[in-house]
Amino acid sequence: MRVFLGLVALATSCAVAVPSAFKTKEEIYAPRGWVKKTRPAPDHSIALRIGLPQPNFSLLEKQLYEVSDPDHERYGQHLSKEEVEDLVSPHPQSLNAVDEWLAGFGLGEKDLVRSPAKDWVIITVPVSVAEDMLDTKYHVWEHTESGDQLVRTTSYRLPSHLHEHIEVIQPTTMFGRFKGYKSTIYNIEEIPEVTTQQASAKAASFNALSGVTVDPSCNTTVTISCLKQLYNAVGYEASPDPRNSIGITGYLEQFANIQDLQSFYAEQRPDALNSTFDFIPIKGGLNNQTLSEAGAEANLDVQFAFGVSHPIPATFFSTAGRPPFKPDLITTSNTNEPYGDWVDFVLGMKNPPLTISTSYGDDEQTVPEAYARRVCASFAQLGARGVSLLFSSGDNGVGDGNSNPATQKCITNDGKNTTQFIPAFPASCPYVTAVGGTAHIPEVAVSRFFSGGGFSNYFPRPLYQEIAVRKYLKNLPKGTYKGLFNPAGRAYPDVSALSDRYRIWLSGRPVLIGGTSASSPAVAGFVALLNDARFKAHKKSLGFLNPLLYTYGLPGFNDITSGNNAGCGTTGFNATAGWDPVTGLGTPNFFKLKSIVTSPFTIL
Ligand SMILES: *[C@@H]1O[C@H](CO)[C@@H](O)[C@H](O)[C@H]1NC(C)=O
Ligand SMILES: *[C@@H]1O[C@H](CO)[C@@H](O)[C@H](O)[C@H]1NC(C)=O
Ligand SMILES: *[C@@H]1O[C@H](CO)[C@@H](O)[C@H](O)[C@H]1NC(C)=O
Ligand SMILES: *[C@@H]1O[C@H](CO)[C@@H](O)[C@H](O)[C@H]1NC(C)=O
Ligand SMILES: *[C@@H]1O[C@H](CO)[C@@H](O)[C@H](O)[C@H]1NC(C)=O
Ligand SMILES: *[C@@H]1O[C@H](CO)[C@@H](O)[C@H](O)[C@H]1NC(C)=O
């Protein structure tokens, strides 16, 4: 490190090019709940992720919509990795301008990591160097409620000639904590060991919304067989087709415990016993198989997603570098900026999993808009390549991420301190499928915690949901929540599924767990089964789902019309007939969806 710093000093003093004057690139108000503490140690290392503009992104977006639109002749003709990379690659002038700027700090090609499309450059430098580059001062910030700490700044500047060549640099102003969406209101419930739920068929079964018969135990304990009954998938057998795949993303140093998975399979999916999944660590993601250290989120996601979709090939990604961390330690790999690390890795894969579920996110306003757009644009790249991305919609209804709804302040951090509903990101990204939560049979919107839902303040409403969302808004009494939400924004969730009282195995024992954390992997499991059916019908993977779901897909959902998603001191929105910002289009009916996605769309 000492040698490196010497080089920097030398390079700067010999710099020939006269840099243009610094101009503010981004300036924010720190989100509420964060307190500025000390300065980080000057040699605390920070991995700066520099986003170069993608001048042809609109072409990529156009193609994403073409290959995802069931009425378009290109439907299903997904783009290759190289085609996508060409469409997001920066202009050579931008590459040169950034390279020159970095060279001024002694940083050459060997010090850089580039994304496959070269639209991101990552450099790891001491915080003191980052401060010179960005004409800023970093501080350690602490999140009062959780104690999480981040090294961040509230503004940064760049030489003015670079503004057109650099879209965003992080971590600078991003205060997102990337929390798991496992409800924190509903503590994990210990339960006595009981025999498998499947044995209780003697008790009178009853009808779900879809008219299928469901075991009564499913009203209080959700198992794989409950989901298969309720979502009409009983009897469907998937193949271990090597073309198909499903993935789960893990963060916060969580790993999925294999012994717990086997206990779960023994109880709920005996034919899956002894099967496992590929573990892919990103940036040194942990996989400590110590039973007592298994992650509740990781175990839940893996057990239900892979349990529903068995024997489809499965992958678990564990991305390291999550808060909480110790900002006074001089780490070299801790970027604290997980979306980018994960998405770069997956975009670099030749064959990424075709269905990927993520049960993490945070308040949209804690992720700076320019950065949220870039992350969302990366999700568009995966969609164009035929990957279906599902994200939990969050567990705090229309409210903010404070775990206690009584302390939800729902105040903007735009400096105006306006009271507003607080949407969640990445659920608010228009290129992903956001999954909300239901409970009980017949299903209603979950009320033990509240299904995240609402309207983005960053992303406008995409065309695919125009009809559905406009109908919902038209039926809202005039003036409802005026000023509290952005009626023109991307509305979510798109779909939903049971989210409460899932029976999983954790650290060697069965527990009940809830959250939209459960509904996203459950839906992902069924999407993977739909891809199985597509492959058997000699069709391509489903890819980005929403344009299909809001059109031909509609008859494949059970409409949830009861319940609401309280937050911010209000009762939130109501589940209604048709799409609503609580349960989306509703919960899946697998066999109906299967017949929709395996037939020519025009005759349905
Ligand atoms: C963007 O697309 C245009 C038209 O296809 C092409 O000429 C141009 O080279 C592309 N730009 C980049 C940076 O790839
Ligand atoms: C399921 O549980 C809910 C909530 O306790 C209850 O209202 C509902 O009647 C139950 N459903 C059946 C079919 O018993
Ligand atoms: C799982 O492995 C055990 C031990 O090797 C074996 O006894 C058992 O039959 C296997 N079960 C299945 C379903 O493959
Ligand atoms: C991992 O496992 C070892 C040994 O089983 C244990 O001592 C350690 O604390 C575990 N946790 C981490 C985070 O490494
Ligand atoms: C907004 O709230 C913050 C934190 O409580 C406070 O420091 C600031 O002065 C407030 N701004 C306005 C415009 O009320
Ligand atoms: C939700 O439904 C209740 C009961 O019908 C009604 O009082 C309330 O105004 C509705 N809220 C919204 C946002 O539609």
Side-chain angles (χ1 to χ4, degrees):
M1 200 50 85
R2 208 173 291 275
V3 173
F4 172 74
L5 283 170
L7 279 176
V8 170
L10 184 67
T12 3
S13 59
C14 301
V16 199
V18 181
S20 51
F22 277 104
K23 207 175 97 191
T24 301
K25 181 69 182 166
E26 188 170 34
E27 188 160 21
I28 63 154
Y29 292 86
R32 227 179 165 79
W34 287 91
V35 180
K36 195 197 269 190
K37 310 288 268 201
T38 56
R39 297 258 295 140
D43 47 358
H44 171 80
S45 118
I46 189 160
L48 286 182
R49 168 176 286 272
I50 303 163
L52 281 61
Q54 303 164 325
N56 281 347
F57 179 75
S58 59
L59 272 178
L60 174 86
E61 188 192 39
K62 179 166 171 283
Q63 299 204 33
L64 166 70
Y65 279 123
E66 287 177 3
V67 301
S68 314
D69 171 2
D71 282 328
H72 199 279
E73 60 185 12
R74 289 185 67 194
Y75 182 74
Q77 293 171 37
H78 302 124
L79 281 66
S80 69
K81 178 172 180 288
E82 291 71 26
E83 284 167 334
V84 165
E85 285 166 8
D86 281 350
L87 286 166
V88 296
S89 63
H91 198 283
Q93 277 175 14
S94 298
L95 283 166
N96 289 339
V98 171
D99 285 357
E100 256 174 47
W101 175 58
L102 295 175
F105 292 90
L107 298 160
E109 199 60 36
K110 64 174 181 0
D111 306 307
L112 317 181
V113 176
R114 294 187 194 274
S115 64
K118 299 189 163 48
D119 54 335
W120 289 104
V121 178
I122 299 146
I123 47 156
T124 302
V125 291
V127 78
S128 57
V129 174
E131 290 181 338
D132 287 348
M133 295 172 74
L134 307 178
D135 193 25
T136 189
K137 293 277 175 245
Y138 278 89
H139 281 86
V140 176
W141 290 77
E142 188 172 280
H143 186 249
T144 319
E145 190 196 359
S146 62
D148 288 351
Q149 293 190 329
L150 293 172
V151 173
R152 291 294 183 271
T153 175
T154 51
S155 73
Y156 65 100
R157 287 146 51 89
L158 286 173
S160 54
H161 79 280
L162 282 176
H163 280 234
E164 63 173 310
H165 300 301
I166 293 180
E167 210 160 68
V168 60
I169 300 184
Q170 290 295 345
T172 48
T173 54
M174 182 178 136
F175 284 80
R177 287 176 302 138
F178 219 59
K179 315 179 268 100
Y181 277 155
K182 173 175 55 67
S183 168
T184 41
I185 304 165
Y186 173 28
N187 290 322
I188 293 171
E189 194 173 314
E190 302 285 345
I191 42 171
E193 194 153 343
V194 295
T195 50
T196 166
Q197 305 299 318
Q198 292 142 336
S200 49
K202 275 170 252 137
S205 297
F206 56 86
N207 284 340
L209 276 183
S210 55
V212 297
T213 303
V214 184
D215 190 290
S217 66
C218 300
N219 208 22
T220 46
T221 302
V222 178
T223 61
I224 296 287
S225 48
C226 289
L227 293 179
K228 291 206 158 181
Q229 290 170 26
L230 184 61
Y231 299 139
N232 192 23
V234 174
Y236 185 79
E237 300 277 348
S239 310
D241 186 337
R243 290 170 301 178
N244 201 358
S245 47
I246 181 167
I248 291 291
T249 59
Y251 295 93
L252 302 167
E253 328 294 359
Q254 287 219 354
F255 60 88
N257 185 272
I258 291 165
Q259 187 182 325
D260 280 335
L261 181 66
Q262 298 309 322
S263 304
F264 174 83
Y265 282 163
E267 178 189 86
Q268 296 193 27
R269 187 82 218 227
D271 62 320
L273 207 57
N274 300 346
S275 72
T276 186
F277 53 87
D278 282 342
F279 173 82
I280 301 187
I282 299 173
K283 298 266 161 176
L286 289 185
N287 189 19
N288 191 327
Q289 284 294 322
T290 309
L291 190 60
S292 61
E293 290 182 12
E297 180 71 72
N299 271 16
L300 165 66
D301 298 5
V302 157
Q303 289 173 22
F304 272 87
F306 302 165
V308 167
S309 60
H310 178 79
I312 293 166
T315 299
F316 179 74
F317 298 97
S318 175
T319 306
R322 297 304 53 253
F325 75 113
K326 296 269 182 292
D328 49 342
L329 291 183
I330 303 158
T331 55
T332 51
S333 63
N334 194 340
T335 66
N336 297 289
E337 187 283 295
Y339 304 97
D341 289 338
W342 179 76
V343 88
D344 279 357
F345 182 89
V346 176
L347 283 170
M349 291 175 84
K350 203 166 152 29
N351 296 303
L354 293 176
T355 306
I356 304 178
S357 172
T358 304
S359 295
Y360 291 81
D362 204 353
D363 296 344
E364 184 183 68
Q365 67 170 356
T366 64
V367 183
E369 181 166 352
Y371 183 62
R373 288 191 182 287
R374 282 300 291 256
V375 171
C376 185
S378 299
F379 297 150
Q381 295 175 51
L382 282 169
R385 287 176 59 186
V387 174
S388 306
L389 293 174
L390 296 105
F391 282 84
S392 303
S393 72
D395 294 349
N396 295 308
V398 295
D400 63 36
N402 276 328
S403 52
N404 179 357
T407 64
Q408 275 185 1
K409 299 271 190 339
C410 300
I411 289 175
T412 60
N413 59 287
D414 57 358
K416 298 187 188 126
N417 295 350
T418 318
T419 300
Q420 256 182 25
F421 293 164
I422 305 291
F425 183 80
S428 68
C429 166
Y431 313 124
V432 308
T433 300
V435 185
T438 66
H440 306 309
I441 296 158
E443 290 178 273
V444 298
V446 65
S447 61
R448 196 198 284 266
F449 52 91
F450 294 104
S451 177
F455 297 77
S456 174
N457 290 316
Y458 290 171
F459 301 99
R461 180 156 69 241
L463 204 53
Y464 62 74
Q465 61 174 197
E466 183 63 29
I467 294 172
V469 176
R470 201 194 290 216
K471 175 167 167 274
Y472 175 84
L473 291 173
K474 205 171 126 253
N475 290 333
L476 262 189
K478 214 174 155 57
T480 306
Y481 299 146
K482 197 165 185 326
L484 289 183
F485 72 101
N486 169 24
R490 156 17 177 193
Y492 72 97
D494 300 296
V495 300
S496 52
L498 282 179
S499 60
D500 204 7
R501 298 184 150 269
Y502 276 54
R503 182 181 164 96
I504 66 160
W505 283 72
L506 181 63
S507 300
R509 65 198 202 282
V511 298
L512 293 179
I513 187 168
T516 51
S517 265
S519 35
S520 181
V523 172
F526 290 103
V527 171
L529 295 182
L530 290 173
N531 275 337
D532 180 78
R534 293 269 301 171
F535 288 133
K536 285 181 174 136
H538 308 289
K539 292 174 185 288
K540 300 284 174 54
S541 66
L542 289 165
F544 175 43
L545 296 166
N546 296 0
L548 168 69
L549 302 186
Y550 283 84
T551 53
Y552 295 98
L554 283 174
F557 289 91
N558 312 308
D559 194 0
I560 310 302
T561 57
S562 175
N564 60 298
N565 60 352
C568 307
T570 75
T571 54
F573 296 108
N574 291 336
T576 60
W579 180 90
D580 55 70
V582 189
T583 59
L585 300 170
T587 62
N589 182 318
F590 175 76
F591 272 110
K592 276 196 193 167
L593 284 168
K594 174 182 167 281
S595 81
I596 292 166
V597 303
T598 54
S599 315
F601 293 113
T602 42
I603 59 163
L604 275 150

